[in-house]
Amino acid sequence: QVQLVESGGGLVQAGGSLRLSCAASGSFLKINSMGWYRQAPGKQRELVAAISSGGITNYADSVKGRSTISRDNARKTVYLSMDSLKPEDTAVYFCHAAILMTTLEYDFWGQGTQVTVSS
């Protein structure tokens, strides 16, 4: 069974920084893309950043320039560093991984970690 375990959320002051981590475990062939999504109260879940197995990155416009997504394939871990945090970054952040199981790819999600940015 595949599990994604997130860490690193919490309460941060506006202008501050944080780093989220997400480690995958279980039995599978390969992790394809990994990424971070977030969901604020009353809003839909949205992509924050994603990274392919080859290291190609994609960012939401709202975080571009102040966020960095990276991954350590050996550790099966994806990271998200965010600087210059704003109150509007407050949300539950979810890790996502597209994982190849035998011949099919499946989407897996972490349980979510709360990020609260105080003004």
Side-chain angles (χ1 to χ4, degrees), residues 20-32:
L20 304 179
S21 301
C22 171
S25 63
S27 179
F28 46 84
L29 286 181
K30 180 187 176 185
I31 303 176
N32 290 329

Side-chain angles (χ1 to χ4, degrees), residues 10-107:
L11 176 63
V12 185
Q13 283 194 331
S17 302
L18 61 76
R19 189 190 196 210
L20 304 179
S21 301
C22 171
S25 63
S27 179
F28 46 84
L29 286 181
K30 180 187 176 185
I31 303 176
N32 290 329
S33 66
M34 301 186 83
W36 291 93
Y37 288 70
R38 67 187 180 187
Q39 188 166 18
K43 295 188 177 181
Q44 289 190 330
R45 190 174 297 190
E46 63 176 4
L47 173 70
V48 178
I51 183 167
S52 71
S53 58
I56 297 172
T57 58
N58 180 37
Y59 296 93
D61 288 343
S62 59
V63 303
K64 201 173 293 184
R66 58 188 184 95
S67 298
T68 301
I69 188 169
S70 60
R71 63 190 283 175
D72 183 331
N73 290 328
R75 296 179 183 270
K76 302 174 187 176
T77 300
V78 63
Y79 306 95
L80 178 68
S81 296
M82 295 183 69
D83 301 319
S84 303
L85 285 163
K86 307 173 183 179
E88 50 263 44
D89 292 318
T90 295
V92 179
Y93 284 68
F94 296 91
C95 174
H96 168 264
I99 295 180
L100 185 63
M101 314 278 289
T102 61
T103 58
L104 294 176
E105 182 182 275
Y106 295 88
D107 292 317

